Structure formats: C-alpha cells, structure tokens
Amino acid sequence: MNPSRVASTALLGLLTLHHLAQAATADEIEVRLFYAQSGTFSEPISEGAELWNVIAGEQGLREPSTSTFVRVRVSESGAGSRNAGRVVLTVTDQHTKKRSILTKHLGAFGPNGVQYVGFWLPNTGCASLRIEAAIAGTASAVARNIPFRCGE
C-alpha cells in the first residue's frame, strides 16, 4: 500500500475519533450507597452531605453500606457521537492520593441524546473520595467530592 495513502487514512481516522469524542460530554455524576442487607440503594447523595460511619449505618442511614454506585450522565452535542468513545472515571482517595481509573465504552444514545454509564466502587465508606468523569480524549470533566469519614 502507498505510504502516503496509509498516512492519509490514519489521519482521517484520528480526526474522526477526535470529532466523535468531542461530540459527547460527561455532564453529571450521581452517587448512591448500596445497602447489602436489603440489596437496595440510597437516595442520591447530595453535595455537602455528611457521611460519617456509613459502614456502621450511622447518620440516619437505613442500613450499613460498604459499596457505592456511581452513575455518569453523558450527553451528545452533535451528530456522529453514537457508539463512539468511552467514559473515564478517576477515583482519588483524598487522604492517600491513591487513584483508580475505570473505563466503560459508550453505547447508543437514546432519542433524547443522553445515556447513563454505571460504575461500581467496592470497599467504600471511610475514605473521602474525589470522583471525576470525562470522555476519553477531551479536556472537559465533571467532578464530585464524597466526604466519607469514620471514627469513634
């Protein structure tokens, strides 16, 4: 194959991927505690919520919780973003600064131009977390702080 044709094809592919990634935006993070005793979820955790000793079910929780479910809303902002790209969720322990990076591929957008991507975070409840979601290859992101704390 002609080297200039290969380079042109590769450049076209990169430009198409860049366009597709730019067309979708992660614009909302919702966080819920998972209650293992009943198999249910909490109401969405609001900004500024106090999450003290959730592993013991304190702060008026129905049950203890040691896992968290994160739902990221992704909106398409232009034609061509259907089935393109992936969501990158970065979870940072605020005390140790240890980071975990989780990714999920985007599927088909609904008729309203929105889809939701879910992430399961095990072993949560005592370390405050910073959660950031973005579409791979883009600079825009949405973030939430989850102020888990434990103690006597």
Side-chain angles (χ1 to χ4, degrees), residues 82-97:
R82 298 187 188 282
N83 294 315
R86 59 192 165 90
V87 177
V88 177
L89 191 78
T90 304
V91 181
T92 306
D93 179 312
Q94 295 293 77
H95 177 69
T96 66
K97 303 302 180 197

Side-chain angles (χ1 to χ4, degrees), residues 23-101:
T25 305
D27 55 18
E28 179 182 276
I29 295 175
E30 179 184 272
V31 179
R32 294 175 184 254
L33 302 175
F34 177 69
Y35 299 130
Q37 293 173 355
S38 64
T40 60
F41 291 93
S42 71
E43 293 297 317
I45 296 172
S46 62
E47 292 284 340
E50 292 204 24
L51 298 169
W52 180 259
N53 285 342
V54 299
I55 63 171
E58 294 186 17
Q59 291 301 123
L61 297 177
R62 293 191 319 252
E63 304 171 23
S65 174
T66 58
S67 296
T68 302
F69 182 73
V70 176
R71 184 178 83 165
V72 177
R73 185 175 89 166
V74 178
S75 301
E76 68 175 341
S77 56
S81 60
R82 298 187 188 282
N83 294 315
R86 59 192 165 90
V87 177
V88 177
L89 191 78
T90 304
V91 181
T92 306
D93 179 312
Q94 295 293 77
H95 177 69
T96 66
K97 303 302 180 197
K98 180 180 177 188
R99 292 177 21 171
S100 298
I101 298 176

